[in-house]
Amino acid sequence: MARLRRAFVILLSLALLSSCAQTLPEEDHTLHILATTYPVYLFTTAVVGGAKNVEVELLVNSQTSCLHDYTLTVKDMKAIEGADVIIMNGAGMEEFMADALSQSAAAVIDCSDEVPLLPTLEHAGHDGHDHEEEYDPHYWMGCPEVAVFTIGNALADLTGSEEYQTRAFDVSNKLLDFGDSWCKTLHGPYPIERPPLITFHDGFQYFANAYGLELLKAIEEEEGAAVSAAEIKEIVALIEENHIPAIFVERNGSRKTADVIARETGCTVYELDMLMSGDGEGIQPYLDAMDRNLTTILEAFS
């Protein structure tokens, strides 16, 4: 999987490197970049690096596991209005911005444009809303280097500066090396036995694919939404049938049902981080969070 990711990124970089054409004005002013989510903010600040006269602001830094019900604040609207460039996660993540974007003059970079998106998982225990997105938007958990390259090439295209492409290449290599190292740990000469994953959030599909883990069941449990008794019975049966010692919740999500199941089966509940909020910048906070996630997997199944 890691080799396929690296080959895909190399092909992507070759395809995009020739598309550098200056479209932003050359006036001596600060370039205001607005990143919509924390993962996008980390990737963008890593690519921007120490570029002069560039400011990167984060729009949504909320301790929530889902942005479906997010509502823009007055502060958010002012940030969108003042942005020269808006960098989005895409893939349906920012539905709440549709009206604001239609009135914005900012250049928009959609990080999901080149990502091989996966279909949204069917899940139970959701809030009952009819969401329109067809694809899973949580790709930063498994193939972040594609978003990094998209940001670097788009900023180079907008500004005429190749430094963004150079930094994107360096950052992407760090991400790929990180993935290679962990895949060797998980699937090396003495692979660690790994039962399938049961997660209480539907955002770990790319994560499982990237690191060769089996995702057996994903239950999307939001605040105020109850998982049915039949669903709980099914999960208990899966845990017993597959001898699963641990189940996983998202750090900012609900764990009510997971705790009920843990008491029923004796399994342990662990937390995984989807990086929906934080206070760092650059690529290191992302690598640290993913390292904690993978270390948690090892601990849970040791």
Side-chain angles (χ1 to χ4, degrees), residues 87-279:
I87 305 183
M88 302 175 57
N89 181 84
M93 177 67 79
E94 295 97 344
E95 288 181 328
F96 58 87
M97 288 182 62
D99 291 340
L101 283 178
S102 67
Q103 302 176 40
S104 171
V108 176
I109 300 172
D110 186 336
C111 293
S112 70
D113 277 349
E114 302 295 333
V115 175
L117 295 171
L118 299 173
T120 301
L121 290 171
E122 294 182 2
H123 50 254
H126 202 269
D127 58 4
H129 292 183
D130 183 17
H131 303 305
E132 295 180 356
E133 66 269 18
E134 181 181 353
Y135 295 103
D136 185 344
H138 306 92
Y139 58 81
W140 70 87
M141 294 294 294
C143 45
E145 59 280 347
V146 179
V148 168
F149 256 116
T150 297
I151 293 169
N153 283 285
L155 288 178
D157 189 56
L158 288 169
T159 64
S161 175
E162 295 182 0
E163 62 180 318
Y164 298 109
Q165 291 171 321
T166 301
R167 276 194 290 270
F169 186 80
D170 291 340
V171 172
S172 294
N173 276 332
K174 287 182 180 180
L175 290 164
L176 290 166
D177 288 343
F178 174 88
D180 285 346
S181 177
W182 264 104
C183 283
K184 289 177 182 177
T185 298
L186 295 169
H187 307 284
Y190 305 101
I192 299 165
E193 184 176 353
R194 299 170 308 280
L197 302 181
I198 293 179
T199 65
F200 286 78
H201 192 285
D202 64 352
F204 294 100
Q205 185 177 193
Y206 295 94
F207 175 79
N209 282 8
Y211 296 101
L213 303 171
E214 179 187 353
L215 183 59
L216 180 63
K217 183 77 172 177
I219 302 93
E220 178 68 7
E221 181 187 19
E222 297 180 5
E223 293 295 339
V227 176
S228 69
E231 182 78 3
I232 292 176
K233 184 177 180 180
E234 178 191 354
I235 298 166
V236 168
L238 287 173
I239 290 172
E240 293 175 346
E241 178 184 348
N242 292 277
H243 307 289
I244 295 175
I247 54 180
F248 302 89
V249 297
E250 200 277 320
R251 182 168 64 94
N252 295 316
S254 172
R255 56 180 291 156
K256 181 178 179 181
T257 301
D259 286 337
V260 169
I261 292 171
R263 289 194 295 269
E264 179 74 19
T265 62
C267 70
T268 305
V269 180
Y270 287 84
E271 289 187 352
L272 298 176
D273 188 357
M274 286 184 58
L275 291 97
M276 293 303 290
S277 62
D279 55 8

